[in-house]
Amino acid sequence: MKLYSIPVLALLSAVLFTGTAQSQTIKSSLNPKYDSKVDSILRLMTLDEKVGQMNQYNGFWEVTGPVPKEGDAAIKYEQLRKGLVGSMLNVNGVENVRAVQKIAVEETRLGIPLIIGYDVVHGYKTISPIPLAEAASWDLEAIRKSAEVAAAEAAAAGINWTFAPMVDISRDARWGRVMEGAGEDPYLGSKIAYARVKGFQGDDLKDVNTIAATAKHFAGYGFSESGRDYNTVDVGTSTLYNDILPPFEATVEADVKTFMNSFNLLNGIPATGNSFLQREILKGKWAFKGFIVSDWGSIGEMIPHGFAKDGKQAAELAANAGSDMDMESRLYVEHLTALVNEGKVKESVIDDAVRRILTVKYELGLFDDPYRYCDENRERTETGKPAFQDAVLDMAKKSVVLLKNEKQLLPLKKSGMKIALIGQLAADKDSPLGSWRALGAPNSAVSVVEGMKAYQGNSLEYVEGVKLTEGTPGFAFETKINITDRSGFEAAKTAARNADVVVMVLGEHGFQSGEGRSRAELDLPGLQQELLEEVYKVNPNIVLVLMNGRPLVIDWAVANIPSIVVGWHLGTQSGNALAQVLYGDYNPSGKLPMSFPKNVGQIPVYYNHKSTGRPANPGSDLVFWSHYIDSPNEPMYPFGYGLSYTSFEYSNLKLNSESFAKDGSVTVTIDLKNTGSLTGKETVQLYIRDLYASVARPVRELKDFQQVELKAGESKTLSFQITEKSIGFYDNEGKWIVEPGDFKVFVGGSSKATFEAGFSFQ
Ligand code: NOJ
């Protein structure tokens, strides 16, 4: 019996009217439209087939995690034929997807279609900026659009499920995966998480341009100790409830279809075997209706974590804790049937997982047509189409952050200048694609050299200067860079000496951030810093363009280099975006989503920290206050910071009332004027401090923001509402509370906003 090919009603009547036992397990509705259909299928399934739905295998072509056994494709094919596989990941392109789907649909007993997952993190083939860069835009509509483009291109190539967005808050730039997230702030992170889910999933999951999204990694992964990937996480309840969980909850509000758990221990319990997280919070308190996939092999990793004694116990613990699908540890398919027969896992647990998985397959329309994402023609016409290029270019420009522009070197004049362009990354067509670039073809990005060549009024000389990497980086890429060859320095200095302005593109290779790429130092890797200092000696008129997957330590550059631009890894259109920004055809508007530390020793350094009992006291000559004797407490650049080629002036902060009560609000207004000579966009940020509370609150918390574009000389009064939502927080039991008390509000262009006023809540 092939379920997809039978009209659903016929199938239903076949099942419902044969008096088959009512589903044993079903308690709550997942989707009223499909509940009864799903239950009908469930009744037809053997226990092995149910467990099969909970099994996800990697495809045969690409890996994104450690491979347990090489050459086991034959076993996988055999299990696929037996209906023991519910999903595959890393199967790309219509031809390959069709091939595996055909087996699931035509050769298994019930013909249940596979759901096909892939890490479409920031684009499929047309690559948009890394998510951290996109977050720097603070432009929720552009971010939603970028996810929409990624979904449409991936869906046309057979993919119907992405393992994105990653919504892990992180305060540690050493962690290579900060590039995948939205930075350090839970408020901005929640807004972006919501926008990304909406972008991927759209309003109708059955639309051929949309795919199911995954909120990952649930939970705490961004707090890996010492920024080392996969490391232990120990966080207090206040941080868990107020900082880590809110972006995840926002994705549930956006109706995200799946969650992925994480590799880390959270306070001693692996996230994968954590029923507090998965059952109590996610499926309980938040009433999440989708399913949870494990991270790659994370069920098996509970053994080295010292939590499960063997694979069988790991499967038992994970299933009972609420992990619905096993990504590549193969332990469900090996052990779950026996575990049910032995009474260690209830069949109702299996049924609940399978219902969730089948419901998402229904919602995607896979039961109407399992090949709905498999149209070679669409794949050809959609991939890389001009509208997608335009969208990622737009996103890339909005992601750039201007940190410094002291001698007004920027924007560059468009004619009559000699420009020296220096750095391997300037000509690099690969690094801008960043990590997690899905199927972005190697070397397919527009380089900065190419982007700048489009401006022909100046003379442009490119010199590499020094190598950053050698060979072809990939997953096995050795990130320790031992370049000792300085032979390119002289050519770089000669070019700089002859130039009016030197543009140096320095930073990280695209594979120096991302999964498994934690760094202990955050400087410019290799000999780049040395090259920068050498070039500076012959021509200090330098514009430093960073290409980076994370905040870097650039203390010398900040002290010496007049203009600094954060260019991240901006994707396929990187060079065009950067050239347009450098030449002023786009006025930079990005604001940092993560603090740039002064040095690694400050980390974690983040704006929304708590106050110590001995806060900063720089006037004192005694040492007994919370500080370092060899470094300031403040980061180099704070969260929310970013300049424009024009300037903005804030004035006239007003509150319509100094207090409010339940169900009321305070209106905050502030005037913003563009005092420069160019049109520009400012992101006006509102922060709140709760001065005393039953659980101490951070020194500032972002609670609202607005983006405004103003012409030169133009002014606007902006207005914000402060409500209970702006001042409440989670107590240490995870209960949302709003307490009476005194508060401060700050408004301005960064987390250092200086306009402030006080109000109270009664
Ligand atoms: C491991 C990563 O942690 C996760 O984010 C990713 O989705 C899976 N591998 C699949 O590639």
Side-chain angles (χ1 to χ4, degrees):
M1 185 185 288
K2 306 291 173 218
L3 293 182
Y4 78 95
S5 58
I6 300 176
V8 171
L9 278 176
L11 171 73
L12 272 182
S13 38
V15 178
L16 293 177
F17 299 113
T18 49
T20 316
Q22 284 297 312
S23 166
Q24 318 86 324
T25 59
I26 308 331
K27 305 220 165 51
S28 67
S29 165
L30 295 172
N31 182 335
K33 224 164 142 191
Y34 302 117
D35 287 340
S36 60
K37 294 175 183 173
V38 166
D39 292 348
S40 303
I41 297 177
L42 208 59
R43 284 193 283 271
L44 298 175
M45 296 173 84
T46 63
L47 179 56
D48 280 343
E49 284 165 340
K50 290 179 188 174
V51 169
Q53 285 302 305
M54 299 167 71
N55 182 31
Q56 183 187 52
Y57 277 151
N58 188 49
F60 311 105
W61 303 276
E62 195 185 331
V63 292
T64 50
V67 187
K69 294 176 217 152
E70 289 293 351
D72 59 357
I75 304 171
K76 287 185 182 171
Y77 273 122
E78 195 194 316
Q79 295 194 344
L80 186 55
R81 289 200 167 87
K82 287 188 179 151
L84 298 180
V85 183
S87 170
M88 294 195 82
L89 77 150
N90 296 338
V91 178
N92 302 304
V94 166
E95 195 187 332
N96 292 332
V97 172
R98 185 186 286 283
V100 290
Q101 194 67 294
K102 205 160 180 288
I103 300 176
V105 164
E106 292 178 23
E107 296 185 40
T108 67
R109 191 178 75 91
L110 292 173
I112 299 175
L114 297 167
I115 174 169
I116 303 288
Y118 195 45
D119 291 285
V120 183
V121 173
H122 55 115
Y124 178 71
K125 275 204 173 198
T126 308
I127 304 300
S128 53
I130 56 169
L132 186 65
E134 290 192 355
S137 74
W138 295 51
D139 185 330
L140 302 175
E141 181 48 29
I143 292 172
R144 189 199 57 74
K145 177 81 194 160
S146 162
E148 186 182 297
V149 163
E153 203 180 48
I159 308 297
N160 41 52
W161 176 24
T162 177
F163 306 126
M166 184 190 99
V167 304
D168 297 308
I169 296 299
S170 184
R171 301 163 170 172
D172 195 330
R174 292 171 298 182
W175 190 48
R177 301 197 78 167
V178 297
M179 52 81 41
E180 271 179 79
E184 74 190 32
D185 181 64
Y187 179 85
L188 180 63
S190 299
K191 295 277 175 201
I192 291 176
Y194 187 95
R196 288 195 167 128
V197 171
K198 286 291 180 197
F200 287 127
Q201 296 192 167
D203 297 325
D204 177 8
L205 214 51
K206 277 193 181 172
D207 185 318
V208 286
N209 291 308
T210 60
I211 59 182
T214 309
K216 71 185 188 186
H217 305 85
F218 197 59
Y221 188 33
F223 282 71
S224 294
E225 225 167 67
S226 53
R228 180 156 49 79
D229 209 0
Y230 317 120
N231 205 2
T232 302
V233 174
D234 266 290
V235 288
T237 43
S238 180
T239 301
L240 180 68
Y241 289 122
N242 290 289
D243 299 295
I244 294 175
L245 294 183
F248 285 101
E249 193 173 6
T251 67
V252 175
E253 278 156 21
D255 197 24
V256 71
K257 291 300 163 191
T258 74
F259 260 58
M260 184 186 290
N261 54 38
S262 55
F263 291 125
N264 55 284
L265 290 177
L266 179 69
N267 304 335
I269 316 279
T272 307
N274 199 314
S275 91
F276 160 70
L277 284 175
Q278 300 179 113
R279 291 222 181 270
E280 212 174 294
I281 304 251
L282 179 56
K283 292 177 179 174
K285 193 171 165 194
W286 297 347
F288 171 63
K289 306 283 189 212
F291 69 88
I292 306 176
V293 64
S294 81
D295 202 345
W296 181 297
S298 68
I299 298 177
E301 289 180 16
M302 295 202 292
I303 305 166
H305 271 311
F307 188 72
K309 74 167 187 261
D310 54 23
K312 189 168 177 187
Q313 198 196 10
E316 176 190 337
L317 291 167
N320 284 335
S323 296
D324 301 307
M325 186 181 275
D326 171 2
M327 181 192 285
E328 263 295 334
S329 76
R330 307 166 188 211
L331 294 173
Y332 277 5
V333 77
E334 259 176 56
H335 300 295
L336 271 186
T337 301
L339 285 164
V340 171
N341 291 333
E342 290 162 20
K344 293 202 168 125
V345 175
K346 290 201 183 105
E347 190 156 356
S348 58
V349 166
I350 308 293
D351 285 348
D352 176 59
V354 177
R355 284 183 81 223
R356 290 170 180 273
I357 294 164
L358 294 180
T359 301
V360 174
K361 289 184 178 183
Y362 262 111
E363 289 170 336
L364 283 164
L366 289 167
F367 281 101
D368 301 335
D369 175 6
Y371 303 108
R372 66 186 300 127
Y373 299 90
C374 295
D375 176 342
E376 281 81 357
N377 204 22
R378 266 176 52 75
E379 184 178 31
R380 250 188 320 276
T381 53
E382 292 294 292
T383 306
K385 71 181 189 187
F388 293 169
Q389 302 294 338
D390 293 347
V392 300
L393 174 60
D394 179 63
M395 186 73 256
K397 289 188 282 194
K398 290 174 172 162
S399 304
V400 174
V401 183
L402 179 66
L403 294 182
K404 196 178 166 194
N405 195 20
E406 263 171 15
K407 290 190 194 167
Q408 307 296 309
L409 292 183
L410 294 174
L412 298 170
K413 291 189 194 73
K414 287 188 177 158
S415 62
M417 296 234 295
K418 278 197 206 151
I419 296 180
L421 182 54
I422 298 173
Q424 179 185 309
L425 288 170
D428 192 340
K429 292 174 65 58
D430 199 61
S431 283
L433 302 175
S435 204
W436 288 119
R437 78 259 301 261
L439 281 198
N443 297 310
S444 61
V446 177
S447 71
V448 179
V449 174
E450 289 167 336
M452 290 198 51
K453 275 191 179 152
Y455 290 83
Q456 294 184 340
N458 289 329
S459 88
L460 182 74
E461 184 183 2
Y462 169 67
V463 187
E464 182 182 70
V466 70
K467 284 231 176 295
L468 171 60
T469 55
E470 267 163 350
T472 316
F475 281 153
F477 179 48
E478 179 53 72
T479 48
K480 224 178 186 174
I481 296 155
N482 252 338
I483 307 264
T484 51
D485 181 3
R486 294 174 173 79
S487 60
F489 277 31
E490 271 320 305
K493 282 159 79 174
T494 307
R497 211 174 273 120
N498 296 332
D500 299 307
V501 175
V502 185
V503 176
M504 294 188 74
V505 185
L506 306 177
E508 299 182 311
H509 184 277
F511 281 120
Q512 276 172 325
S513 55
E515 185 179 350
R517 279 85 165 202
S518 295
R519 290 183 64 198
E521 304 291 347
L522 294 176
D523 54 358
L524 300 171
L527 296 178
Q528 294 179 102
Q529 178 65 34
E530 201 177 311
L531 176 70
L532 178 63
E533 293 182 26
E534 286 297 304
V535 170
Y536 177 80
K537 284 182 194 154
V538 300
N539 188 344
N541 289 334
I542 297 177
V543 174
L544 171 61
V545 177
L546 295 173
M547 226 177 235
N548 50 328
R550 50 154 73 84
L552 295 175
V553 170
I554 46 165
D555 49 337
W556 185 89
V558 173
N560 295 284
I561 302 298
S563 294
I564 306 177
V565 168
V566 182
W568 313 105
H569 295 129
L570 288 180
T572 307
Q573 289 291 332
S574 167
N576 288 333
L578 284 168
Q580 289 182 33
V581 168
L582 295 177
Y583 274 107
D585 283 340
Y586 184 85
N587 188 354
S589 53
K591 301 274 188 180
L592 295 178
M594 204 172 168
S595 308
F596 269 46
K598 273 213 165 78
N599 50 58
V600 172
Q602 292 183 317
I603 294 174
V605 60
Y606 52 99
Y607 86 94
N608 50 351
H609 58 84
K610 308 264 170 33
S611 173
T612 67
R614 296 184 178 192
N617 185 11
S620 165
D621 48 9
L622 296 177
V623 295
F624 306 110
W625 58 285
S626 180
H627 72 302
Y628 300 98
I629 57 170
D630 56 356
S631 163
N633 288 358
E634 292 299 315
M636 184 61 82
Y637 290 109
F639 173 84
Y641 173 86
L643 302 174
S644 160
Y645 294 149
T646 192
S647 49
F648 294 101
E649 199 178 275
Y650 287 83
S651 62
N652 223 2
L653 177 74
K654 279 192 201 142
L655 270 52
N656 74 334
S657 157
E658 282 178 2
S659 69
F660 74 111
K662 197 168 164 33
D663 299 326
S665 67
V666 169
T667 304
V668 180
T669 51
I670 191 152
D671 295 341
L672 178 71
K673 182 170 186 196
N674 180 342
T675 50
S677 55
L678 295 168
T679 298
K681 189 163 69 183
E682 172 71 330
T683 301
V684 181
Q685 304 156 42
L686 179 140
Y687 296 85
I688 283 182
R689 177 167 187 176
D690 185 344
L691 297 181
Y692 47 88
S694 58
V695 183
R697 305 302 308 140
V699 293
R700 285 179 185 206
E701 293 179 274
L702 180 70
K703 290 297 174 186
D704 206 351
F705 63 89
Q706 289 179 36
Q707 296 199 303
V708 222
E709 185 165 278
L710 295 180
K711 296 201 179 71
E714 197 184 348
S715 303
K716 192 170 176 187
T717 302
L718 296 151
S719 151
F720 297 89
Q721 294 291 318
I722 293 175
T723 64
E724 281 159 71
K725 208 165 169 215
S726 334
I727 58 166
F729 62 91
Y730 291 99
D731 69 10
N732 284 345
E733 271 70 56
K735 205 169 122 235
W736 175 258
I737 52 174
V738 183
E739 292 180 342
D742 299 322
F743 300 83
K744 269 188 181 172
V745 56
F746 309 85
V747 184
S750 84
S751 56
K752 290 277 150 221
T754 47
F755 282 83
E756 66 171 83
F759 67 92
S760 63
F761 177 71
Q762 275 125 24

